């Protein structure tokens, strides 16, 4: 018994206790600020990733502003409440992949069609998967010489307004990369193309002492692991794990099993955060694994096991409706997973 108590006391707090969600639209900012204040802060959440994309009134590139975009004042409300609670607020704009969703082209490629990696693939009237083009989401061409000027402008502006010391670049589920028909990328090594883009973004952010965060799926071998084309890579990008800068923080999402992939990242010298979605039992297992990895690691490896981050794939207003019971809350839901995750994190961290 004494040994068991000592074991728990020896546990430490996870460096990253995160929450990731689509940013609220302007009309839901106040409700979201209240949620940060009353629900995230008391659960000791210390990292909030907000998916912005072009949902902000960019001064540097007004042509990219999406409908109903957040104003600077909207963002500052969220900045202030996060400051009050010591929460690290981090904006996300999807880089490389996810430049379209279903039948809708994203803002970057609708304004700058010349950045499209696969201009020959037309957006369908009615999107269905699978389709003959293998169109999941569009990608931009990472070797277009005019691309990064635009991206760096919006990245810098969003990080400035968020007063953030980190940026999340997404980069998950990139299916179109090194397309044979692209005059710049065709025939190139996809792992090198992927790593090249990661490192360009990382180096730009490093100039202002900002950290890059990305999703981890492109760095896992989908064939050998059996994890497939979404959760891992079936297009040979996984060797990029050895080519990217070691200070990129990997957000390792697994929604079906408690895969032990954090060990892969940590042993490659990369820091990693495990991300559950909507299965409470799984989130608990993954949290216990994260504590166990830290406890059983060498001191070199331990600090690479950075913690946990709940991922919410709906927008903020829809999540808040679910969280506050305004719509039917099923056992496997994002809000149930979030509650279970932080109950577990705080149980292990605070038991005396
Ligand atoms: Zn290209």
């Amino acid at each position: 018994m004494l040994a068991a108590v000592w074991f728990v006391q020896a546990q430490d707090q996870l460096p990253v206790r995160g929450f990731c969600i689509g940013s609220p639209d302007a009309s839901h900012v106040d409700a979201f600020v209240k949620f940060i204040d009353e629900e995230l802060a008391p659960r000791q959440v210390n990292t909030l990733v907000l998916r912005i994309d072009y949902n902000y009134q960019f001064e540097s590139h007004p042509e990219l502003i999406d409908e109903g975009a957040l104003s600077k004042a909207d963002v500052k409300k969220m900045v202030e409440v996060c400051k009050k609670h010591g929460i690290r607020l981090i904006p996300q704009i999807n880089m490389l992949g996810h430049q379209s969703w279903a039948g809708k082209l994203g803002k970057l490629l609708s304004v700058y069609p010349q950045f499209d990696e696969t201009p020959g693939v037309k957006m369908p009237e009615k999107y269905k998967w699978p389709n003959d083009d293998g169109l999941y989401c569009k990608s931009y061409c990472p070797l277009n010489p005019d691309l990064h000027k635009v991206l760096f402008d919006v990245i810098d502006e969003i990080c400035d307004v968020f007063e953030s010391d980190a940026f999340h670049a997404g980069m998950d589920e990139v299916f179109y990369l090194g397309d044979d028909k692209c005059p710049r990328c065709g025939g190139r090594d996809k792992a090198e193309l992927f790593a090249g883009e990661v490192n360009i973004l990382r180096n730009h952010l490093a100039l202002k002492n900002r950290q890059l965060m990305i999703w981890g799926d492109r760095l896992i071998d989908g064939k050998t692991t059996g994890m497939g084309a979404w959760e891992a890579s079936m297009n040979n990008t996984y060797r990029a794990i050895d080519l990217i800068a070691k200070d990129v923080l990997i957000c390792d999402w697994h929604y079906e099993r408690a895969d032990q992939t954090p060990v892969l990242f940590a042993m490659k010298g990369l820091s990693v955060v495990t991300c559950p979605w909507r299965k409470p039992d799984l989130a608990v297992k993954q949290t216990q694994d994260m504590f166990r990895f830290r406890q059983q690691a060498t001191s070199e490896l331990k600090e690479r096991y950075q913690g946990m981050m709940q991922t919410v794939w709906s927008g903020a207003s829809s999540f808040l409706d679910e969280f506050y019971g305004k719509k039917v809350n099923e056992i496997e839901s994002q809000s149930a997973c979030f509650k279970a995750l932080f109950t577990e994190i705080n149980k292990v961290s605070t038991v005396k």
Side-chain angles (χ1 to χ4, degrees):
M1 184 59 198
L2 191 62
V5 171
W6 181 248
F7 170 78
V8 173
Q9 278 183 331
Q11 295 282 18
D12 54 358
Q13 221 180 15
L14 299 176
V16 174
R17 303 180 299 279
F19 187 81
C20 169
I21 192 167
S23 71
D25 58 28
S27 64
H28 290 90
V29 167
D30 290 341
F32 190 66
V33 164
K34 188 168 181 280
F35 173 75
I36 296 171
D37 207 28
E38 295 179 357
E39 303 296 341
L40 295 187
R43 287 179 171 83
Q44 316 287 326
V45 171
N46 70 353
T47 304
L48 173 57
V49 174
L50 272 191
R51 295 193 303 275
I52 302 289
D53 289 320
Y54 298 96
N55 179 28
Y56 176 68
Q57 296 172 22
F58 288 101
E59 288 170 18
S60 59
H61 287 278
E63 76 279 11
L64 289 172
I65 299 172
D66 250 329
E67 232 172 278
L70 297 173
S71 68
K72 190 180 275 183
D74 292 327
V75 171
K76 290 302 180 188
K77 286 182 187 173
M78 297 189 279
V79 169
E80 288 314 312
V81 70
C82 286
K83 260 190 212 167
K84 178 176 134 192
H85 294 295
I87 297 172
R88 194 181 184 204
L89 180 61
I90 299 165
Q92 181 189 319
I93 302 174
N94 273 317
M95 296 288 136
L96 203 53
H98 277 274
Q99 302 302 326
S100 68
W101 184 249
K104 193 172 182 298
L105 201 56
K107 206 68 196 183
L108 183 73
L109 295 189
S110 36
V111 176
Y112 296 103
Q114 65 271 36
F115 294 164
D116 193 338
E117 175 67 5
T118 56
V121 174
K122 301 298 167 207
M123 293 305 292
E125 288 279 306
K126 209 173 167 204
Y127 179 85
K128 65 174 171 51
W129 179 266
N131 56 70
D132 291 344
D133 291 319
L135 171 65
Y136 174 54
C137 297
K138 286 270 194 174
S139 302
Y140 63 61
C141 171
L143 299 187
N144 184 299
D146 303 319
L147 170 79
H148 289 100
K149 164 91 180 69
V150 176
L151 296 181
F152 291 165
D153 286 346
V154 293
I155 290 171
D156 288 348
E157 185 177 348
I158 206 70
C159 288
D160 286 345
V161 71
F162 270 72
E163 303 176 33
S164 65
D165 64 358
F167 172 76
H168 198 308
M171 303 186 78
D172 56 325
E173 303 173 330
V174 183
F175 290 6
Y176 284 158
L177 182 68
D179 190 77
D180 287 343
K181 294 200 183 82
C182 176
R184 294 164 296 269
C185 303
R188 289 191 190 267
D189 182 314
K190 291 179 188 184
E192 287 185 10
L193 283 170
F194 185 83
E197 184 63 7
V198 171
N199 288 335
I200 282 175
L201 298 170
R202 178 266 169 208
N203 290 347
H204 179 76
L205 290 162
L207 294 173
K208 295 187 178 172
N209 293 317
R210 288 173 175 144
Q211 184 183 29
L212 175 63
M213 297 167 71
I214 60 170
W215 302 117
D217 52 80
R218 291 308 89 188
L219 304 176
I220 302 170
D221 177 349
K223 183 88 173 174
T224 305
T225 60
M227 290 181 196
W230 270 269
E231 201 170 345
S233 169
M234 294 289 273
N235 57 349
N236 295 310
T237 57
Y238 58 88
R239 286 180 304 101
I241 198 169
D242 290 316
L243 304 175
I244 65 171
K246 300 298 185 192
D247 55 9
V248 177
L249 178 61
I250 307 301
C251 299
D252 181 32
W253 60 273
H254 295 283
Y255 300 155
E256 303 300 328
R257 302 160 309 275
D259 294 303
Q260 307 291 290
T261 43
V263 179
L264 167 71
F265 291 111
M267 294 191 83
K268 289 289 186 181
L270 294 157
S271 292
V272 60
V273 170
T274 297
C275 304
W277 178 31
R278 61 179 174 186
K279 295 193 172 181
D281 294 352
L282 188 57
V284 168
K285 259 189 224 165
Q286 288 168 317
T287 304
Q288 291 169 349
D289 283 347
M290 184 55 65
F291 278 106
R292 202 175 303 117
F293 293 145
R294 286 174 64 80
Q295 201 220 357
Q296 297 182 157
T298 60
S299 56
E300 283 82 356
L301 284 170
K302 180 179 174 182
E303 283 315 303
R304 295 183 200 141
Y305 296 113
Q306 280 278 299
M308 303 292 299
M309 181 167 76
Q310 171 68 40
T311 46
V312 173
W313 289 109
S314 58
S317 65
S318 155
F319 177 79
L320 292 183
D321 283 350
E322 179 192 309
F323 182 86
Y324 291 114
K326 288 183 191 157
K327 59 184 188 188
V328 179
N329 202 344
E330 290 160 20
I331 294 168
E332 289 194 348
S333 70
Q334 301 181 111
S335 58
C337 186
F338 161 61
K339 288 173 189 167
L341 171 64
F342 278 90
T343 300
E344 185 64 23
I345 289 174
N346 292 321
K347 183 169 90 189
V348 183
S349 307
T350 59
V351 170
K352 292 283 186 292

